[in-house]
Amino acid sequence: NAGVTQTPKFQVLKTGQSMTLQCAQDMNHNSMYWYRQDPGMGLRLIYYSASEGTTDKGEVPNGYNVSRLNKREFSLRLESAAPSQTSVYFCASIRQGLAQDTQYFGPGTRLTVL
Amino acid sequence: GESVGLHLPTLSVQEGDNSIINCAYSNSASDYFIWYKQESGKGPQFIIDIRSNMDKRQGQRVTVLLNKTVKHLSLQIAATQPGDSAVYFCAEALSGTPLVFGKGTRLSVIA
């Protein structure tokens, strides 16, 4: 049981390049989330998927797209990376819906956009 | 190195002392609260949670206190150890909505 896994761990992009951050969980959780973490800003929600087949915008969705590929996988795509997207990205999952329950986090992807 | 945690408030505590980390939450309607611990280079890790129908909950060496009147949450760590050094986040939620995280506090344990 690996919990929540993320790939890659580190990535450097040039402005305008695209990339997809991968996230997978093996806990049979229904809901998955993408956050970004910047110095002094805490965790801010980008997008979430309350259940397979649904996605919703969070606090800071601009410049990102997501795909809930199946129950296990939730990917985050940057179509045209900008320096403002330099951040640490965390994926998380929760057992069901938006129920008040513990979120489990992945180890993070550290992205630098030059 | 880890860039997360720059510009955060810092609490320095002597090893063996008790730590109290405070959090002011924003939404008076929030009914669920969690404390997370984040070590350098890792994702947040669940510590303890509390629902709004309670004002205190205890775990192993940790206690969370909730004061809804002033929208204040605190995390108490007993007999603080070097391994407790990390950034601590509180998060709040209203039923049916995602968690909203605070900015975090860095706990530094002095051996």
Side-chain angles (χ1 to χ4, degrees):
Chain A
N1 188 335
V4 180
T5 57
Q6 292 182 236
T7 56
K9 286 188 167 51
F10 301 93
Q11 183 71 50
V12 178
L13 294 176
K14 295 180 180 178
T15 297
Q17 287 186 315
S18 62
M19 79 160 296
T20 299
L21 282 64
Q22 306 288 351
C23 174
Q25 51 90 10
D26 60 3
M27 297 174 282
N28 201 35
H29 285 174
N30 287 316
S31 298
M32 299 183 73
Y33 301 77
W34 275 106
Y35 294 89
R36 61 176 288 173
Q37 188 174 36
D38 303 300
M41 297 296 291
L43 287 140
R44 292 185 292 170
L45 184 63
I46 305 171
Y47 270 94
Y48 64 99
S49 170
S51 61
E52 189 178 354
T54 69
T55 61
D56 286 286
K57 295 179 180 179
E59 181 187 353
V60 288
N62 291 343
Y64 305 95
N65 284 300
V66 290
S67 295
R68 184 72 183 268
L69 304 169
N70 47 57
K71 192 171 186 179
R72 289 188 65 247
E73 298 171 290
F74 188 39
S75 63
L76 178 72
R77 182 159 179 85
L78 286 70
E79 290 291 351
S80 179
S84 61
Q85 294 178 305
T86 293
S87 189
V88 182
Y89 291 85
F90 288 101
C91 178
S93 71
I94 192 172
R95 187 163 48 90
Q96 58 178 15
L98 295 166
Q100 297 163 336
D101 203 347
T102 305
Q103 282 190 341
Y104 295 87
F105 285 84
T109 294
R110 284 140 185 86
L111 175 66
T112 301
V113 183
L114 302 175
Chain B
E2 180 58 69
S3 62
V4 171
L6 291 177
H7 317 302
L8 291 178
T10 298
L11 174 67
S12 295
V13 175
Q14 204 74 31
E15 181 179 359
D17 287 352
N18 296 334
S19 303
I20 300 176
I21 301 171
N22 295 305
C23 174
Y25 63 91
S26 58
N27 187 350
S28 57
S30 292
D31 54 9
Y32 181 60
F33 306 88
I34 300 182
W35 279 100
Y36 281 93
K37 172 186 180 183
Q38 187 176 26
E39 297 174 283
S40 182
K42 297 183 179 180
Q45 178 184 8
F46 172 85
I47 303 173
I48 191 167
D49 61 359
I50 188 169
R51 300 183 190 278
S52 60
N53 61 351
M54 304 171 69
D55 53 21
K56 180 179 180 179
R57 191 167 186 218
Q58 288 185 289
Q60 187 178 11
R61 267 199 322 120
V62 294
T63 300
V64 55
L65 298 177
L66 175 63
N67 185 331
K68 294 182 289 293
T69 303
V70 294
K71 294 190 292 183
H72 185 267
L73 195 65
S74 68
L75 176 70
Q76 301 178 359
I77 304 173
T80 311
Q81 303 167 0
D84 295 327
S85 293
V87 176
Y88 290 81
F89 293 95
C90 67
E92 60 178 301
L94 174 62
S95 296
T97 64
L99 287 170
V100 175
F101 285 81
K103 290 182 169 49
T105 297
R106 177 180 298 284
L107 176 65
S108 179
V109 180
I110 305 163

